[in-house]
Structures are given as structure tokens and as C-alpha cells.
Amino acid sequence: MTAPAPSPGATSAAAVAAMQAALAAEQAASYGYGVLGAHLSGASQQAASTDWVAHEVAADQLETLLRAAGAQPHPAAVGYQLPFAVQSAAQATALAVLLEDRVAQAYLAMVALSDTTLREFGGRQVRAAALRAAAWRGTTVAFPGLSAGDLRSR
Amino acid sequence: MQRAMPSRRAVLAASAVALPLLVTGCKGVQVLGTPPPPPVDVTVLRAAIRAEEVMVASYTAALTAGSGSPTVQAALADVLAQHRQHLSQLKARLVEPGADAAVRQPPVRALVLPASLAGTLHVLESAELSASDRLVADLPALPPALAQLFASIAASEATHAPFLTASFARAGRVAR
């Protein structure tokens, strides 16, 4: 899927910041899947590989969007501090869930932008992340990307 | 000379034409005019609430039918609980003046669920995916915070379809 074109000249600083944050979440997810995939096997490892590709593709799309908006995409870090050590398949699965939740949260910031093209792109990516998270979690959640505090303050 | 009397139809038509003049000519009459249509976001929010009510009614009906294994029943109950949460959050964002709007609404009807478990699964999955697509399509019309809620609910509803498929498959009752 190709990235949608943002409205020419209408990309605000807030939009660039939201896209950079989403890109950072995608880059962290790509790194994380590289780590967690090594602790999986069979169908789970294949799923991790598929999801890693999805994050790479999404990162490419965000870079395209940022360049179209006249911004320079921030490069990925060389390494990332994992939130917990991953030494088992269960920990690998838990990390995948966490990464997808963070990606969904980052894309929700794009949903709040005034540019409708970016907003819809963000909405589709929240859904994609939620689908991957649900597959790893084995169940669903009512409000992907939103915390209980987010809901109370809305 | 006797003047021809206007027909009743003509009087009604003339009244309808004359009303805007009255409305513009006298501010006191404005309250009698047709209320303006609600803003787009209100219309979209009402539609989303209505759609959630249909989903709640449909999952309630599926559970009441009592078909399927405990695994299937548990999955249906989980999804129903999430639809109730969606409905609660959406309703909290709409303030209706008085009870008029509720009175005008036709009763909520559950989706027609086939007798077979496979058929029920198909109907519910299709409804979830359609609802998710509709919510994403609504995003441009909404203020930011409401758009985020819609996006999150759209994502949740999209996940219900594969979750139901997996649960029904685990129950071993549905050949797909």
C-alpha cells in the first residue's frame, strides 16, 4: 500500500510531530520484533516475521509522508532499551503485545490531526496494530490505544 | 363579481411560501420555524450509538439462544461486554435535550441470526467489519477527541471478527 499524499502546504508542526512519534514507535517495534522473533518458533515465528514486515512498510510510508510535508524523518536508533528481558516465548509474546499497544497509541495522535488524509491513515494504522495485538494477546480489548485515564478525561 | 375561492391545497402551499418571510420579518416568530439540522458530528455520533445498540441487542440475542459450547458462549459474552463499554462511552458524549430524541427513535432490533452456529458467526463477523469500516470513514467529520474514540472503537470491533472465528474454531463446531 502506498502512503497517501498529505494536503500540500497544510501540514502543521503538530502533524509533523505526530508523524515523527508514529515513526519512532514503528522503528522501535521493528527492533523489538527482531529480538522477540528469535525466541519463537513455527507459526509464531512466522507471524512475528509478517508483523515485522508490516512495521517496516508502515515506517516507509511515514517517511514518505514526512518528506512530502517538507520534514526530515528521524532515523531509527541503533538499539533500544527493552521494557523487560526477553528469554522465553511467553516474554516474546508479551513484548509483541506491548509494542503493538504503543504503536496504536502513537497513531491515535495522528487521528486527532485536522488533515483528514493523515487522520484516516492514522485510523487505519490503529486498527492494524490492534489486530496484531489481539492475535498475540489471544483476546481483544475495548479501547486499543486508549488508557482508562484517557477515557475519563474525554 | 364573485371571486374564485382558493383551494385548500393552494392555501397550504401559500402558507409554506409565506412562512420564511414571516420568519425573516419578525424575530419573535423564529421559535416557530423548523429547528436547524444538528451538526454533522452529532448526527454521526447518534448513528454510532444506534449501531452499538444494534450490536448489543444482537450479541444478547445470540447468548440468549444458548447455542454453542461454553467457549463460544464465553467469547460472545466477552464481545458483548466490550460493545456495552463502547455504547457507554459514546452515549456519555451526547447530551440530548429532554427525552424527545429517545421517544422519536424506533425500537432497536437485533440482527437476524441464523439458526446455525456457522451462520451466526458469519452475520456477527460481517457486522463487526462493517461497523469498523463505518467508524473509520466517519473520522473526518469529528472533533479530535471524538475521532480518537471512534478510531479506537473501530479497531476494537475489527478485532472481534478474528477473535470470534478463533473461538468458534476452538469449540470445534464450525467447519470453515
Side-chain angles (χ1 to χ4, degrees), chain A residues 25-86:
Chain A
E26 290 287 12
Q27 290 164 338
S30 291
Y31 177 88
Y33 270 96
V35 173
L36 69 89
H39 298 276
L40 299 171
S41 61
S44 295
Q45 191 173 53
Q46 182 58 48
S49 176
T50 300
D51 289 355
W52 176 81
V53 170
H55 289 294
E56 290 284 303
V57 169
D60 286 347
Q61 291 174 336
L62 284 164
E63 289 184 7
T64 300
L65 286 170
L66 281 160
R67 289 198 180 92
Q72 185 63 34
H74 294 163
V78 176
Y80 291 83
Q81 178 74 48
L82 297 178
F84 49 83
V86 177

Side-chain angles (χ1 to χ4, degrees), chain A residues 69-111:
Chain A
Q72 185 63 34
H74 294 163
V78 176
Y80 291 83
Q81 178 74 48
L82 297 178
F84 49 83
V86 177
Q87 293 169 336
S88 69
Q91 290 165 336
T93 300
L95 179 59
V97 170
L98 181 67
L99 293 170
E100 297 297 354
D101 285 348
R102 288 180 176 177
V103 167
Q105 192 174 18
Y107 278 114
L108 272 183
M110 287 184 67
V111 172

Side-chain angles (χ1 to χ4, degrees), chain B residues 17-97:
Chain B
V17 170
L19 183 60
L21 296 176
L22 287 173
V23 169
T24 54
C26 175
K27 284 192 172 183
V29 179
Q30 280 182 326
V31 292
L32 299 176
T34 305
V40 173
D41 54 344
V42 171
T43 304
V44 169
L45 181 54
R46 278 186 186 146
I49 288 171
R50 187 73 179 172
E52 284 297 345
E53 288 172 338
V54 171
M55 295 300 260
V56 167
S58 301
Y59 278 91
T60 302
L63 274 168
T64 305
S67 54
S69 68
T71 304
V72 167
Q73 293 283 305
L76 292 171
D78 284 351
V79 176
L80 171 60
Q82 291 182 5
H83 280 297
R84 284 189 169 135
Q85 291 180 67
H86 297 165
L87 180 58
S88 171
Q89 287 293 328
L90 291 169
K91 276 187 165 176
R93 282 151 183 81
L94 182 65
V95 179
E96 295 278 18

